[in-house]
Amino acid sequence: MSETWLIRGARPLGGEPADILIRDGLIDSIGAATAPAGAQAIGADGLIALPGLVDLHTHLREPGREDAETVETGTRAAALGGFTAVHAMANTDPVADTAGVVEQIWRLGRQAGHCDVHPVGAVTVGLGGARLAELGAMADSAARVRVFSDDGKCVSDAVLMRRALEYVKAFDGVIAQHAQEPRLTDGAQLNEGEMSARLGLTGWPAVAEEAIIARDCLLAAHVGSALHICHVSTAGSVEIIRWAKGKGWRVTAEVTPHHLLLTDSLAAGYDPVYKVNPPLRTAADVAALREGLADGTIDCVATDHAPHPVEDKETEWDTAAFGMTGLETALRVVQQAMVDTGLLDWAGVADRMSRRPAVIGRLAGAGGELAPGQPASLTLYDPAARDTVNPATHASRSRNSPFGGMELPGRVVATFLRGIPTVLDGKIA
Ligand SMILES: [Zn+2]
């Protein structure tokens, strides 16, 4: 179905106001325009136009944990957050470790239609960390998997990690590592430091992340392959990645919105909504992550949207599940942490939340420029809006947002996927 839309007076990448004409799924023109016959118009004064956001790290939970999220509810949440493409992590039940499962998830995404769903394939069979999964078959499947990850678990065996890195070179794939040395984090609950000591919670040392990142940068360089590091959370990790990039190695990295804004001091009340893997760290880590994202050491923002039902989350800290929802608040948190602090402009946000994640995910047709002839996948965002986050109003099936009750700037007003609105006036279209 072809629709014609005229978006009046939006500011592409925060620049001068312009009219954006959308026709046949493409951006037709940017500049002063009169509405063609039959066009639908949107007044967008004061709104910023960004290319549709791309998330490298989403847990959609389907198949297996439909009580936490489904492809339908998770992609609704994504569209409402301004996303037009998400990568669905492989730790489902069954695990996405075969062509059959990744194709099932890919099909569910197409049926839902709220945004593109790109399944991530597991690196090892059943996330067991013992045998490589059928990486080639997943790459050749209809889902065309290019990103592989055991996320939730670390590929801790160095030989297996080396083999995975070697294997994906054949089809320009990338291994996305959840960097967590398992022996150093046995029973770990919270960043190892003053706060974990005070609360009597088992510490999660920064070195458990940094040691794996250092090892894997060296392995990726040794075999000449592409490594992506999930949810970087420590200042030391940023330094190691800066060093590896300085060598010209094929290493990329992501940071989550929550690690850009929140610290481990929030755990003081033992509220498990702040329990996450990797854990919230210190203010010094937050500062280093922001700096790393600003200078490009960290390539992109990825949500690690990790929905959990109430019974898994609202319990004692020790037994609560790790994870936070994030799709519906990501852009707002990035505005607060990066834009309102002067660290990134809107062109920088477009780069870190759309262009670069699309490059890392090997996505053609996403992360493009706002320019005539490009697919009309874009989001309209009001940076002057401000309100208190209420997870009860979220489209996600789960409510475990650490930003609940917090006042944040911004509001996603509209999202277009290849010329078709998925969100209008802040609601699912
Ligand atoms: Zn992870």
Side-chain angles (χ1 to χ4, degrees), residues 57 59 89 91 149-153 177-180 230-231 254 277-278 304:
H57 194 143
H59 296 276
M89 275 299 172
N91 61 341
S149 182
D150 274 3
D151 183 63
K153 290 189 177 166
Q177 175 69 292
H178 170 113
Q180 179 189 353
C230 297
H231 43 51
E254 69 189 34
N277 177 348
D304 194 8

Side-chain angles (χ1 to χ4, degrees), residues 107-138:
R107 280 204 191 86
L108 287 168
R110 283 171 64 107
Q111 280 162 22
H114 304 296
C115 73
D116 292 337
V117 173
H118 300 283
V120 172
V123 177
T124 67
V125 174
L127 309 178
R131 272 189 309 130
L132 278 193
E134 302 167 4
L135 309 184
M138 289 188 273

Side-chain angles (χ1 to χ4, degrees), residues 34-331:
T34 45
Q40 303 176 79
I42 297 180
D45 280 352
L47 305 186
I48 289 170
L50 296 171
L53 307 183
V54 176
D55 193 11
L56 274 174
H57 194 143
T58 305
H59 296 276
L60 292 177
R61 301 296 190 219
E62 188 175 1
R65 285 308 300 267
E66 291 83 354
D67 57 329
E69 196 78 282
T70 63
V71 172
E72 170 69 27
T73 60
T75 55
R76 277 174 177 254
L80 289 164
F83 291 89
T84 52
V86 299
H87 288 77
M89 275 299 172
N91 61 341
T92 48
D93 183 13
V95 170
D97 59 1
T98 63
V101 178
V102 295
E103 283 185 351
Q104 178 194 353
I105 295 162
W106 176 75
R107 280 204 191 86
L108 287 168
R110 283 171 64 107
Q111 280 162 22
H114 304 296
C115 73
D116 292 337
V117 173
H118 300 283
V120 172
V123 177
T124 67
V125 174
L127 309 178
R131 272 189 309 130
L132 278 193
E134 302 167 4
L135 309 184
M138 289 188 273
D140 289 342
S141 75
R144 294 185 46 78
V145 176
R146 289 295 179 273
V147 182
F148 296 87
S149 182
D150 274 3
D151 183 63
K153 290 189 177 166
C154 181
V155 181
S156 60
D157 183 309
V159 174
L160 208 56
M161 187 62 183
R162 173 190 177 153
R163 282 207 204 108
L165 286 163
E166 283 173 332
Y167 199 105
V168 298
K169 283 169 71 178
F171 42 83
D172 189 33
V174 57
I175 303 294
Q177 175 69 292
H178 170 113
Q180 179 189 353
E181 212 294 315
R183 296 272 293 139
L184 286 171
T185 51
D186 191 22
Q189 295 286 330
L190 184 66
N191 178 49
E192 183 175 300
E194 228 172 273
M195 190 55 61
S196 64
R198 208 178 96 198
L199 301 180
L201 295 172
T202 306
W204 186 311
V207 65
E209 174 173 312
E210 294 157 3
I212 293 290
I213 293 176
R215 181 200 78 176
D216 288 354
C217 286
L218 293 164
L219 279 175
H222 183 61
V223 303
S225 189
L227 169 71
H228 178 71
I229 299 154
C230 297
H231 43 51
V232 171
S233 74
T234 79
S237 298
V238 178
E239 267 189 71
I240 294 163
I241 294 160
R242 195 174 278 130
W243 166 77
K245 286 193 162 187
K247 297 274 194 185
W249 298 344
R250 298 173 64 200
V251 175
T252 56
E254 69 189 34
V255 61
T256 71
H258 48 270
H259 287 109
L260 288 171
L261 195 64
L262 310 178
T263 67
D264 61 355
S265 62
L266 288 163
Y270 294 97
D271 184 344
V273 79
Y274 302 113
K275 182 174 175 179
V276 66
N277 177 348
L280 299 177
R281 305 283 187 182
T282 67
D285 294 303
V286 169
L289 293 168
R290 289 181 179 187
E291 192 191 322
L293 184 64
D295 72 17
T297 300
I298 298 175
D299 297 80
C300 63
V301 175
T303 66
D304 194 8
H305 176 81
H308 290 290
V310 169
E311 60 272 25
D312 290 353
K313 200 62 186 169
E314 289 178 19
T315 166
E316 300 281 292
W317 182 285
D318 275 10
T319 53
F322 290 96
M324 303 169 163
T325 58
L327 286 168
E328 289 165 86
T329 46
L331 187 51

